[in-house]
Amino acid sequence: MSRESDVPGAESAAEALPGALPEELRTELIAFRRDLHMHPELGNQEFRTTAAIKARLEKAGLRPRVLDTGTGLVCDIGGGDLPERDTVRPMLALRADIDALPIPDTKSSCAYRSTVPDRAHACGHDVHTTVVLGAGLVLAELDRQGRLPHPVRLIFQPAEEVLPGGAADAIESGVLDGVGKIVAVHCDPKVDAGRIGLRHGPITSACDRLEISLDGPGGHTARPHLTTDLVTATAKVVTEVPGLIARRVDARSGLAVTWGRIESGHTCNVIPQHAELSGTVRCLDLEAWRQAPDLVHAAIDEIAGLHRAKSVIDYIRGVPPVVNDPEVTELLRDAMSARRGALSIEDTEQSLGGEDFSWYLEKVPGAMARLGVRTPGERGVRDLHQGDFDVDEFAITVGVELFTAAALLDAGI
């Protein structure tokens, strides 16, 4: 279904560049996305997904390489033998993440719901993968026609949902060798399909993981004064550590500790010897993120010590914020404007979610766009990481045409 008329000026804008998505390929990509949605695979286990992407790229005459980790791929398009082609200037890379989440798919009346128990593409990675695949197929056809003067790289990355993220392994596999810029999209259920959200600077937040053990001698609940009241100590860590940290860092940094799991005790009249807590540390600011491990360790030790509990802290580094490069962000803005007009772009806020795309941006400039996936007029939001998450598949068309336009504009067309 075409929706060019939804955005004023989009129809004329779409004619400005080659590389629009053909209807036959549009239909194929929707089927490809639905197949991925039915067969979700967790991080570093994406063997079927990798094989499906590889087979389709090879069918198009391309030569994808499976990453050293055994899942995920990298594939270059263009850079042939024609003398006018630019093979020296660093490439633009298009990145997709390919893994799913360990949650059940709860959609009740969906023909393509997950067939794997407790596994679901509830973050839109099936869409991201399909968008980069589709862009690669369109660009490969332009290359065959001699209309792609500069090579482009496709990166299909595993394990985005596994801290500290599969991006580091992909970088170690050489996916950034020869790359000068990198772009990505992330599904946004708050933005209508047909639109994207852009932002200069930080667009996601840092995200780390905390695993804490608290220990004491235990005892009878009739005599808490003779032992360490471990449940109370645990409760104090839960309630007081976030506030203590908030007073030791600039409030504008958004440094926040949030708990997701507490376990302790087995019966009502026994003070336990052991408690466990798990949570996340999120941060809007890169410098505060770098200070976070020391701040969190000190706060936990301080509160636990007041209650005579011994603390063991496993602070697991996750990902820094995704900080969009202004120049690359404007490349995406120009690309979307060329395809669907300037009114198809909206400003977006910084999210508290984490994204390992940030590791690429530690090496090369890049930008991530929010890809609208909400059906226009739909009430409510099918939020990310929820079992009923789904998308308006028109977003695939928009993502493909955004990336093909960005590649062509980066090549100077």
Side-chain angles (χ1 to χ4, degrees), residues 212-227:
I212 303 168
S213 295
L214 298 177
D215 291 284
H220 199 295
T221 57
R223 293 176 288 279
H225 58 292
L226 298 180
T227 186

Side-chain angles (χ1 to χ4, degrees), residues 361-380:
L361 305 192
E362 297 276 301
K363 305 292 185 181
V364 298
M368 171 174 281
R370 301 287 186 195
L371 180 66
V373 296
R374 179 179 61 192
T375 299
E378 183 179 28
R379 301 180 67 179

Side-chain angles (χ1 to χ4, degrees), residues 3 33 57 64 87 128 134 139 144 154 217 238 287 340 342-343 347 353 356 387 390 400 406:
R3 299 186 191 170
R33 178 258 165 173
L57 291 171
T87 58
H128 306 165
L139 292 171
R144 280 189 287 272
L154 314 180
V238 168
E287 184 56 38
R340 305 201 162 265
L343 295 180
D347 293 333
D356 76 351
D390 204 356
V400 169

Side-chain angles (χ1 to χ4, degrees), residues 280-402:
T280 59
V281 180
R282 298 182 186 271
C283 187
L284 300 173
D285 177 73
L286 186 58
E287 184 56 38
W289 176 71
R290 291 178 175 139
Q291 301 172 18
D294 290 341
L295 291 170
V296 171
H297 271 83
I300 293 170
D301 287 341
E302 184 173 330
I303 299 301
L306 284 173
H307 296 273
R308 297 183 295 179
K310 179 182 178 182
S311 58
V312 177
I313 305 165
D314 187 9
Y315 192 108
I316 302 158
R317 262 306 195 197
V319 294
V322 172
V323 182
N324 280 350
D325 177 80
E327 181 180 334
V328 184
T329 304
E330 290 307 301
L331 172 65
L332 292 176
R333 185 181 303 277
D334 292 344
M336 190 65 175
S337 296
R339 291 296 190 206
R340 305 201 162 265
L343 295 180
S344 64
I345 305 164
E346 59 185 67
D347 293 333
T348 192
E349 61 189 8
Q350 183 178 4
S351 164
L352 278 169
E355 234 290 352
D356 76 351
F357 185 66
S358 54
W359 292 124
Y360 299 106
L361 305 192
E362 297 276 301
K363 305 292 185 181
V364 298
M368 171 174 281
R370 301 287 186 195
L371 180 66
V373 296
R374 179 179 61 192
T375 299
E378 183 179 28
R379 301 180 67 179
V381 172
R382 295 188 181 188
D383 205 1
L384 301 170
H385 289 220
Q386 299 295 321
D388 65 346
F389 178 75
D390 204 356
V391 305
D392 185 320
E393 291 170 318
F394 181 59
I396 295 171
T397 296
V398 175
V400 169
E401 295 188 349
L402 171 69

Side-chain angles (χ1 to χ4, degrees), residues 68-336:
D68 297 343
T69 52
T71 61
L73 309 98
V74 61
C75 182
D76 291 349
I77 301 168
D81 298 329
L82 294 179
E84 65 272 19
R85 292 190 179 178
D86 176 3
T87 58
V88 177
R89 185 162 53 96
M91 286 180 284
L92 175 71
L94 316 178
R95 175 267 197 174
D97 37 12
I98 66 175
D99 57 324
L101 285 162
I103 64 175
D105 188 332
T106 60
K107 295 188 291 295
S108 59
S109 58
C110 178
Y112 52 85
R113 65 179 294 181
S114 172
T115 61
V116 184
D118 299 321
R119 303 286 186 269
H121 268 296
C123 200
H125 294 188
D126 53 338
V127 174
H128 306 165
T129 299
T130 304
V131 163
V132 172
L133 174 65
L137 296 176
V138 171
L139 292 171
E141 179 58 31
L142 290 176
D143 185 54
R144 280 189 287 272
Q145 298 170 12
R147 303 171 76 186
L148 185 66
H150 186 63
V152 177
R153 176 164 295 167
L154 314 180
I155 299 172
F156 298 92
Q157 177 213 303
E160 189 277 330
E161 298 287 355
V162 181
L163 288 179
D169 290 332
I171 293 169
E172 186 68 22
S173 290
V175 299
L176 291 183
D177 295 348
V179 168
K181 303 184 188 78
I182 187 168
V183 294
V185 293
H186 198 294
C187 291
D188 191 335
K190 300 186 297 297
V191 178
D192 284 350
R195 301 175 65 84
I196 65 168
L198 291 176
R199 176 185 174 89
H200 286 191
I203 192 170
T204 70
S205 300
C207 181
D208 299 333
R209 192 170 86 235
L210 272 178
E211 299 288 343
I212 303 168
S213 295
L214 298 177
D215 291 284
H220 199 295
T221 57
R223 293 176 288 279
H225 58 292
L226 298 180
T227 186
T228 295
D229 188 350
L230 198 65
V231 172
T232 296
T234 303
K236 291 294 186 179
V237 168
V238 168
T239 58
E240 294 184 12
V241 163
L244 186 59
I245 291 171
R247 290 297 177 269
R248 293 180 175 177
V249 70
D250 190 326
R252 292 170 295 184
S253 70
L255 182 60
V257 175
T258 306
W259 307 106
R261 182 181 70 93
I262 305 172
E263 293 184 15
S264 185
H266 299 285
T267 189
C268 67
N269 62 345
V270 176
I271 295 174
Q273 296 179 323
H274 183 72
E276 294 181 358
L277 301 88
S278 300
T280 59
V281 180
R282 298 182 186 271
C283 187
L284 300 173
D285 177 73
L286 186 58
E287 184 56 38
W289 176 71
R290 291 178 175 139
Q291 301 172 18
D294 290 341
L295 291 170
V296 171
H297 271 83
I300 293 170
D301 287 341
E302 184 173 330
I303 299 301
L306 284 173
H307 296 273
R308 297 183 295 179
K310 179 182 178 182
S311 58
V312 177
I313 305 165
D314 187 9
Y315 192 108
I316 302 158
R317 262 306 195 197
V319 294
V322 172
V323 182
N324 280 350
D325 177 80
E327 181 180 334
V328 184
T329 304
E330 290 307 301
L331 172 65
L332 292 176
R333 185 181 303 277
D334 292 344
M336 190 65 175

